[in-house]
Amino acid sequence: MKRQARLEAWVAFLLPAALGLALGMLAHRRALVDLDTVAAMGSAWRVFHWQGAANMALLGFDQPPLMALLFVPFGAFAPRMLVSGIAAPLLGTLFLGLSVVILWRLSRTLGLPAWLALILCAVFTLHPLVLSYATLGSRGIVLTFVLIGLAASLVSWQREERVRDLVTGSFFAAAAILLAYETVALVIAAALYLASCCRAAGSRTVRAASGCEASVGAESPSHTPTPAPRKAEGLLLAFLLPAAYVGGVWIIANWAIMGHPWYFLHRAGPTIDLAHLPGGGGLGDALQVWLVVNPLLLALLYHAIWRRTLATPALWLLAASLLSAMVFSTYLVRERAWLWAYLMPIAATAAGVGFVLLGTVLAELTGNLASFPQRRTVSPGTLLVLAGSLALGVYLWTSDPRLPLDIRATLRGYPSFARNVTAEWQAADRLRTEWNPALPHAIGSVFGYVVALRAEATQEVTVPGTRRPFRWTRRPYPQPGSYIVAPEEPGLKPSDWASPRPDLSLQPRWRIGDWQAWQFTQRPAAVNGQPSSSDAIIAPGAPHARPRR
Amino acid sequence: MNPTQSSPPDPLRLLHERPEDCACQTWTRPQLVTLGLIAVALAALFWHNTLLALLILNAAATLFYMAHSVYKFWLIWSSLERPVVHDFTAEQLAEQREEDLPSYTILIPLYREAMVLPRLVEGLSKLDYPAEKLEIQLLMEEDDAVTQEACAKLTLPPQFKSVVVPHSLPKTKPKACNYGLYACTGEYLVIFDAEDRPEPDQLRKAAAAFKRLPDTVACLQAKLNFYNQRHNLLTRWFTSEYSVWFDLFLPGLTGSGWPIPLGGTSNHFKVRALQEIGGWDPFNVTEDCDLGIRLHKHGYSAAMINSTTWEEANGNFLSWFRQRSRWVKGYLQTYLVHMRRPLTLLRQLGWSSFFSFQMTIGGAVACFLLNPIYWLMTVLWFLTQSQTIMALFPTPVYALGVFCLLVSNFVFVYIGVVGCLNRRDYDLVKYAVLAPLYWLMMSWGAYKGVAQLITRPHYWEKTDHGTMGGAA
C-alpha cells in the first residue's frame, strides 16, 4: 500500500509538472513574463552579483521576501537561469506539481475514490488561473501551494490531531506571511480555529509521533487530563512560533537596513493608509474574484456553515481572506487592470483553499470517512446557492472581456497576467554586448529592472524605476561612454536626462521597440574661443565582455 | 542457563578479551600521532597565512553545521512521518501466557542510594510480570555500607537478590552491571536506575517485541522521561531535551537502521548477545552509548518500544552540570575508542551508519564546542561589522552561514517545542522556546567534559538521586 501511495504521489507530481513545464517553456520562448517574478529574480541575482561580495540585504524590501528567497539558490549556483528567465517557469512547475500532490494525498486520505480525486486534481491543474500562475512562475502559484498546504494540514489535524500536521501547518503559515502580508489574517484565523478545537481535557487524544496515543503510566504526570487553556496555550505557541519568528526577523532586517521597522509596509503598494476604512466596493471586488475563480465556493461555504464538517478549517481561512481583502487590498485598487494584481491573495485563496474545501465536502458526501460522521445529504439551501453562484460565475466569465482567465489561450502558451518583454530582452541583449561594465549607466522606466536583470547590471548601473527622466544627482556620475536606456516617450529630449557634467552630451544610439538607447559623449573643446559647430563623438572604446563575477 | 555461571563473573571481560574496544586507554599511539600531525599542519598554515587558515577552518565548520543540521532535521521529520516504535495494546499483552514468558533479570546498580531504596523496591514489586520469572539484582558496592544496611532492613520479596560487588577499579556503574550480567539467570535483561519508575507492563511489551522482531534485534530501548518535569526551569528544559531525544531522534535512528546511542537505563537485552559482545565497557562513563555502537558493529540492532520509564530530572544546576560533563566526556571516549581503526569501523558499519556515527557521536560534541565560538563571532560582527570576520565568509560560506544562523537555529528550537507537544506537555512549550540559554549551559558542560577527558578520563561523576522530592 505504501509503495502504491508513493507511486501515486509521483504520478500526481509529474503529470501536472510536465504540462506546466511545456507551457512554461512556450511562454518563455515568447518572452511572456510575470513582472513581479522578474523583480524577484532580479533581487536574487543582485544578492550575489550586484557587488563584489554576497549581500543578503540586496534582496530588497519592496516586496514580500519569499519569492526572492526561492530564487536565491539560482542566484548562487545557476545565475544564468535567472538572467535568461528560465528559472521562473521551472519554479512554477515545481510548485504546481507539489500542489497537486498535496491535493491528491489529502483526497485519498479522506477516502475519495481514485477517479474522483483524479477529476479534482485535473480540474485544479487545468484551472486557467492556476495554470497561468504556474506557467509564469508567479507568486500566485507559490501562494496557492502554501494555502493548500495550510488548509490540508488543518483538515488533517482536525481528524487525528497529529503533531506532524500541526508542524507542517505552522510552516505553511509562516511561508504565507512571507509571500503576502495580507495572509496574516489567515494565520490568525487558523490559530483561532486551533484554539476553538481545544476542548475539555481528556475528550480527544493527541496522536504522538509513535503513531499511537502517548503512553501513560500509573505515576506519569501526563496521565492527568490537560486543561483546555493549557492545551490552547501550547498549541497556539507551537503553531504561531514560525510565523512570529519570520515576521520578527523581517521587521528587524527592515529596521537594521532601511532604518524603519515598518518600511516594508510603506512599500507594499502605491499608498497605504492604515487608518482608512474600506468602502463596500472592495468586498464586491473580492467576491467577484471568488465567483470567477471558484464558482462553487459560496455553495461550499454555505454547506460547511450549516453542517459540522471537516471543512471547518477551510471555512475559517476563507472568511479571513475576505476580511483581509477588505482591510489590506481593496482600497488600493485604483484601476480595473490592477484588480488581479492586488487581489492575487484572494484569488489564490479561492483556488487553493477552495479546492481543499471541495475535496473535503466531496469526501463527506461520498461517505467514505470511517472516523467522521457521514454527511451524504445536501440541503436545499446549498443547492440554491450553488445554482445562483454558478450562474453568476458563468455570467462574469462571459460578460467581462477584461477577465484574464482564458483556458484556451493558456493551453496555447499565452498565460493570463503575462507581459511581453521581447523589446526589453532585446534591448538588454544588445546592451550587454556594447556597454563598458566598468562605467556607470542608467536604465529608466518602471520596468527598468527587466532590462537590468537581462543585461546583468551591477552596481554601476542606476535603475531609478521611474517613468520620467531623472536628474542624475548622485554618484556614480556618467562618463563618456555611459549609456542611458529608457522607453521613448513623446516630446522626450535627450537633454531631459540631466547630467551634472556640462562637458558631456547625449547622443542617440539605437532603438528597439519602445526602448531607446543614448550614449554620453565628450563635447569637443572650443576653438578660438568659439564653441564647435558639431559635437564630436568620441568612441567609448571597444565593447567589453561582461566580466564573470 | 547462563554458560558462565560455573566461573566467577569477570566484570572486566571486555578489557581482557577485546582491549581494542575498551576505553581503558583514552588515546592510542596512532591517534596521538595523527592529532600531532594535524596540529603541526595547522600551526604551519597559521604561520604562513593566518587568514587562509581561519578561512579553511571556518568553511569546514560551516559545512559541518550544515550537514549536521540537515541530518538531524531529516531524522526528526522521518520520525514524525513514519514512526518506528513497537507497541502493543492491552488486549495483545493480555493474550500472553505466563508460562510462555521468558525469564528476566533486572539489574539495579546502586551507590549511596539508601534514600530511594524503599520506593524503588516498592515500584519494582508492582511490575506486571510473573515473580517466578523475575530475578532482580540490587548491585551494591562493597564499600557502600549505608545502602547495604538500608537494604538489609527491608523485607525483600523472593525475586529480589542483594548482590555486593567486590571492590575493584574502576568503580563505575558498567563494571557493577557486568558483575550482575555474568551472574544472571535470565534470558533477557534490563537495567534500571535507582530512581526509575518504569511502566508496569514494560517487561511484557519488551518480551512481546523480542518475539515479534528478527533475531538480530538484540536490544530494545524504552523511552525515558521525567516525573518531576515542572520542578524548575532546568527540569523543564531537561524534559524537552529528553522528549526530543527518546520520542523523536532515537526512533528516527532505529527507523533508518543506524546505530543508536542507548539511554543509560531501560535497555532490554538478549543476555546471550550481550555476553557475546563482552558486556559493558567498565571504563566508559557513557557505557550505554558505547554499547549501542558495539552491538551494531557485531551485526545486531536495537529497536524502540512504546513504553516510558519515568526518572528524576536533575533540578540542581551543579549536579546537572556534573552529569552533563560526564556525558560529553563519555561521548568523546566512545568516539575515540571506535575511531581507533576508522576503516575497520567503516567496514563494520557501512557508509550510512558510519556517517550517522560521526554525526551523532562526534558531531554532537563538536556542536557543543563550536557553538559558543560562533555565537561570539555573530555578536561581535553585529556590534563591530568587523572586516576580518567578513573576510572569513566568502560567498558560498556566507550563504551556508546565513542558513545555519537563521534557519537551523530556529528549527532546533522548534524541535524542542515539537518534543513537548508530542508528550502533550503543552505548558512546557513556552520554556522550550528559551532553549538557546540551555544550549549555552550544555556547551559549558562540554568544555568541562573535554578538560576532564584529559585529566580524569575514567572518573565517574555520580548523579545524586532523591533530591527533587518525588513527582512534581
Side-chain angles (χ1 to χ4, degrees), chain B residues 55-83:
Chain B
L55 192 82
I56 291 172
L57 287 176
N58 183 44
T62 306
L63 263 172
F64 158 72
Y65 265 131
M66 188 72 187
H68 191 252
S69 301
V70 171
Y71 165 75
K72 273 200 135 170
F73 298 164
W74 184 83
L75 274 180
I76 302 286
W77 181 252
S78 68
S79 189
L80 284 172
E81 271 275 311
R82 203 176 13 100

Side-chain angles (χ1 to χ4, degrees), chain A residues 241, chain B residues 408-418 432-436 439:
Chain A
L241 191 61
Chain B
S408 300
N409 278 312
F410 171 76
V411 176
F412 278 121
V413 168
Y414 198 68
I415 285 172
V417 167
V418 171
V433 176
L434 302 173
W439 299 345

Side-chain angles (χ1 to χ4, degrees), chain B residues 4-161:
Chain B
T4 65
Q5 265 185 299
S6 57
S7 50
D10 178 10
L12 303 183
R13 188 168 159 188
L14 185 70
L15 172 66
H16 298 144
E17 293 182 7
R18 293 197 186 94
E20 68 276 9
D21 281 342
C22 182
C24 175
Q25 186 185 12
T26 306
W27 307 86
T28 60
R29 188 171 300 198
Q31 283 177 327
L32 285 172
V33 168
T34 307
L35 206 63
L37 285 173
I38 292 172
V40 166
L42 271 176
L45 188 58
F46 267 91
W47 179 261
H48 175 69
N49 189 333
T50 307
L51 191 62
L52 178 63
L54 288 173
L55 192 82
I56 291 172
L57 287 176
N58 183 44
T62 306
L63 263 172
F64 158 72
Y65 265 131
M66 188 72 187
H68 191 252
S69 301
V70 171
Y71 165 75
K72 273 200 135 170
F73 298 164
W74 184 83
L75 274 180
I76 302 286
W77 181 252
S78 68
S79 189
L80 284 172
E81 271 275 311
R82 203 176 13 100
V84 184
V85 177
H86 299 278
D87 195 24
F88 302 89
T89 61
E91 292 74 25
Q92 285 172 316
L93 295 178
E95 284 170 12
Q96 289 175 319
R97 297 197 311 170
E98 290 201 353
E99 53 270 26
D100 293 336
L101 287 173
S103 55
Y104 233 109
T105 296
I106 300 177
L107 298 182
I108 315 282
L110 301 168
Y111 191 60
R112 297 192 207 136
E113 308 282 9
M115 218 161 43
V116 298
L117 200 50
R119 182 187 289 159
L120 170 68
V121 170
E122 185 191 338
L124 290 175
S125 304
K126 289 181 185 169
L127 282 175
D128 177 17
Y129 208 81
E132 62 276 13
K133 299 262 182 164
L134 272 184
E135 176 199 27
I136 303 178
Q137 294 188 21
L138 301 175
L139 303 166
M140 294 169 283
E141 293 289 338
E142 188 178 11
D143 63 347
D144 186 9
V146 176
T147 309
Q148 288 178 44
E149 206 177 298
C151 186
K153 286 181 185 163
L154 297 172
T155 309
L156 295 175
Q159 64 267 36
F160 284 80
K161 201 194 308 186

Side-chain angles (χ1 to χ4, degrees), chain A residues 90-459:
Chain A
L90 288 179
L91 197 81
T93 297
L94 173 69
F95 282 100
L96 175 64
L98 291 175
S99 302
V100 175
V101 168
I102 296 181
L103 205 55
W104 174 266
R105 281 180 71 172
L106 177 72
S107 306
R108 299 293 281 144
T109 307
L110 293 177
L112 215 56
W115 63 270
L116 200 50
L118 187 65
I119 292 173
L120 183 73
C121 292
V123 170
F124 174 80
T125 304
L126 294 173
H127 193 294
L129 180 88
V130 173
L131 206 51
S132 293
Y133 284 157
T135 303
L136 297 170
S138 76
R139 191 164 55 118
I141 188 62
V142 184
L143 185 60
T144 302
F145 160 73
V146 165
L147 292 177
I148 286 180
L150 177 60
S153 301
L154 293 176
V155 168
S156 297
W157 166 265
Q158 190 184 26
R159 286 186 71 208
E160 297 182 73
E161 288 199 11
R162 279 185 309 195
V163 171
R164 183 194 79 178
D165 295 320
L166 188 78
V167 170
T168 51
S170 72
F171 280 101
F172 279 124
I177 287 179
L178 289 184
L179 273 171
Y181 305 129
E182 304 91 313
T183 55
V184 72
L186 275 77
V187 172
I188 293 172
L192 289 174
Y193 163 72
L194 286 173
S196 73
C197 283
C198 294
R199 298 183 178 88
S203 61
R204 288 199 72 171
T205 307
V206 171
R207 288 178 70 84
S210 62
C212 56
E213 297 172 14
S215 59
V216 292
E219 294 178 84
S220 115
S222 294
H223 185 65
T224 309
T226 311
R230 188 186 276 190
K231 184 177 176 186
E233 173 198 289
L235 286 182
L236 288 181
L237 199 54
F239 180 75
L240 291 174
L241 191 61
Y245 175 73
V246 299
V249 168
W250 187 233
I251 289 171
I252 291 171
N254 273 262
W255 201 352
I257 295 167
M258 306 308 292
H260 196 293
W262 306 109
Y263 176 86
F264 62 98
L265 279 182
H266 296 160
R267 300 290 300 173
T271 54
I272 287 193
D273 180 359
L274 292 179
H276 178 81
L277 295 176
L283 178 61
D285 285 332
L287 283 173
Q288 179 180 324
V289 169
W290 270 16
L291 284 169
V292 168
V293 171
N294 193 340
L296 304 178
L297 203 54
L298 288 178
L300 292 170
L301 281 174
Y302 185 90
H303 176 83
I305 287 170
W306 292 110
R307 308 268 179 174
R308 188 175 77 89
T309 77
L310 276 179
T312 308
L315 186 66
W316 284 74
L317 294 177
L318 286 164
S321 84
L322 212 54
L323 192 66
S324 78
M326 292 165 62
V327 175
F328 281 98
S329 303
T330 58
Y331 62 83
L332 293 176
V333 175
R334 295 285 179 261
E335 304 166 21
R336 196 78 189 147
W338 285 97
L339 172 73
W340 288 93
Y342 284 109
L343 291 180
M344 183 275 292
I346 302 286
T349 309
V353 180
F355 271 83
V356 169
L357 178 58
L358 178 59
T360 316
V361 170
L362 283 176
E364 289 172 342
L365 290 175
T366 54
N368 284 326
L369 289 171
S371 59
F372 214 78
Q374 308 288 303
R375 299 288 181 198
R376 288 183 192 256
T377 59
V378 176
S379 70
T382 303
L383 291 172
L384 201 62
V385 174
L386 178 64
S389 49
L390 273 175
L392 264 175
V394 168
Y395 168 73
L396 288 169
W397 266 54
T398 53
S399 69
D400 192 339
R402 289 172 297 181
L403 283 175
L405 294 175
D406 185 345
I407 184 58
R408 284 171 300 182
T410 306
L411 285 173
R412 287 203 317 267
Y414 294 97
S416 306
F417 320 117
R419 180 185 165 98
N420 190 313
V421 293
T422 305
E424 283 82 356
W425 282 2
Q426 286 176 348
D429 290 339
R430 181 152 182 184
L431 262 182
R432 224 182 20 221
T433 59
E434 286 186 359
W435 67 8
N436 180 347
L439 294 178
H441 309 281
I443 302 174
S445 163
V446 175
F447 306 114
Y449 58 87
V450 179
V451 177
L453 172 63
R454 184 87 173 190
E456 297 180 62
T458 62
Q459 61 184 343

